[in-house]
Amino acid sequence: EFEYAKNGIVKAAQHHNATILHTTTSFKNAVVVAAAAKELSLPWVYEMRGEIEKTWLTHSRYDDVSRSEDSEHYRLWRKKELEAAAAANGVVTLSQLSAKRLIREGIAEKCICVAPNSAEDDLFNRTVPLVEARKLTRVDGEFIVGTVTSVVKYEGLDTMVRALCYLPCSVKFLVVGDGVDRPRLEELTSDLGLSDRVIFAGRQPQDEIVPWYRSLDAFVVPRINSPVCRTVTPIKPLAAMALGIPVVASDLPALREVTGGLASYFEPENAEALAAAIQKVLRGLRQDEEAFEWAKTRTWSRVGYILRDFYSEIEKKRLTS
């Protein structure tokens, strides 16, 4: 399998006259691409998009496996990720938080490029009115808080469900997306007597997603206080900001960074605090214009220029070495 993957990369690189190979997490990808790069005598870049070893920590325990940062699995996985980063000619991270951690762990700062998660450029021009959006999605309500996300435990959606108990009955919660945690959330919603206030819309086609965003009065990111949520920055809040929707988010370093400090923040996993943050939006305490301008600095076209310049530096080093 390794040889098949490596040979496929070599063949594709030769066909396209590649000058750099670029791969993303996990280290399993890096091992194959490093071998292909060596055979081709080309530099390669390792993009650490997510921290899979930290995501592993959030999964439920099974077979008596201890899921902690002290476990052998976590320590060895992290070691392999650092080996991949050290072997690459350049490392791309999504956040300053991740870059600083790599520097502390021995990766040279000059080899790191921060290319943050961003919004699609055309989102800024897709101004679907709220009334029209709700006609398209058939979502109805006086004030709708919602999210577009994978329905997994670390997203903390249960905190938002519980927050409804502290909010006026006119507030509803819309979940666009699907995942393994949905049955648990549906059961919790039923147990709390909130079935008429929580809408599980399921996964929606990407090319039809804007009306679902625009149906919201506030976009919520209630991630739990876990290692992966403290350091990995999600894309979806930026899309909301680009569409002019106020964001309410857990007060975690990664969420502060990705939203530029322009969301309404609350203590993670605290339903009452989340309700209070939503009440602020209800009262009109929001920073829409500043958030919109911030999102403009985080677009994929800008990231393209960042990566182009990073590639150019790597090319110069290769040609002069």
Side-chain angles (χ1 to χ4, degrees), residues 12-62:
Q14 290 172 332
H15 176 74
H16 292 286
N17 297 315
T19 56
I20 292 176
L21 302 186
H22 182 138
T23 189
T24 63
T25 43
S26 74
F27 71 87
K28 299 173 186 179
N29 294 335
V31 170
V32 179
V33 171
K38 183 177 181 180
E39 187 168 318
L40 292 161
S41 298
L42 290 178
W44 65 284
V45 170
Y46 187 42
E47 181 176 350
M48 303 181 82
R49 288 200 60 79
E51 298 188 20
I52 298 173
E53 69 278 14
K54 286 187 176 180
T55 303
W56 175 80
L57 294 173
T58 67
H59 294 170
S60 300
R61 288 180 58 177
Y62 64 94

Side-chain angles (χ1 to χ4, degrees), residues 164-181:
L164 291 174
C165 298
Y166 303 97
L167 289 163
C169 293
S170 56
V171 177
K172 291 184 178 180
F173 179 35
L174 171 65
V175 181
V176 180
D178 213 341
V180 296
D181 204 35

Side-chain angles (χ1 to χ4, degrees), residues 56-255:
W56 175 80
L57 294 173
T58 67
H59 294 170
S60 300
R61 288 180 58 177
Y62 64 94
D63 295 337
D64 295 322
V65 176
S66 175
R67 295 188 174 231
S68 74
E69 291 182 83
D70 295 324
S71 66
E72 184 180 40
H73 179 94
Y74 179 88
R75 287 186 290 104
L76 291 178
W77 193 295
R78 186 62 191 171
K79 180 182 177 183
K80 298 304 290 184
E81 290 293 333
L82 289 172
E83 285 177 3
N89 298 90
V91 179
V92 173
T93 70
L94 299 183
S95 68
Q96 293 291 345
L97 287 166
S98 295
K100 288 175 182 176
R101 183 186 179 192
L102 286 173
I103 293 166
R104 290 196 301 269
E105 292 176 317
I107 306 301
E109 184 175 2
K110 64 182 180 181
C111 294
I112 300 172
C113 168
V114 178
N117 265 331
S118 297
E120 297 286 351
D121 294 63
D122 68 345
L123 281 179
F124 297 90
N125 301 316
R126 299 180 70 176
T127 53
V128 181
L130 180 66
V131 174
E132 183 182 335
R134 290 188 179 175
K135 282 182 180 178
L136 290 169
T137 60
R138 298 181 181 177
V139 172
D140 185 39
E142 187 175 325
F143 190 92
I144 298 175
V145 179
T147 188
V148 179
T149 187
S150 297
V151 184
V152 293
K153 194 170 183 180
Y154 66 76
E155 292 292 349
L157 303 183
D158 55 329
T159 305
M160 182 59 230
V161 172
R162 291 188 175 91
L164 291 174
C165 298
Y166 303 97
L167 289 163
C169 293
S170 56
V171 177
K172 291 184 178 180
F173 179 35
L174 171 65
V175 181
V176 180
D178 213 341
V180 296
D181 204 35
R182 180 169 171 173
R184 184 181 72 90
L185 291 171
E186 289 177 329
E187 183 178 358
L188 174 64
T189 299
S190 178
D191 290 346
L192 293 175
L194 297 169
S195 297
D196 61 334
R197 296 177 62 191
V198 181
I199 306 161
F200 291 98
R203 190 176 288 111
Q204 300 297 323
Q206 185 59 35
D207 58 355
E208 299 173 14
I209 205 67
V210 169
W212 290 95
Y213 275 102
R214 290 294 297 127
S215 294
L216 304 176
D217 294 289
F219 188 91
V220 66
V221 193
R223 287 188 161 189
I224 66 172
N225 186 12
S226 70
V228 68
C229 295
R230 286 194 293 272
T231 57
V232 176
T233 52
I235 296 176
K236 303 298 176 20
L238 280 167
M241 295 169 90
L243 290 165
I245 304 162
V247 174
V248 179
S250 296
D251 196 355
L252 297 169
L255 294 181

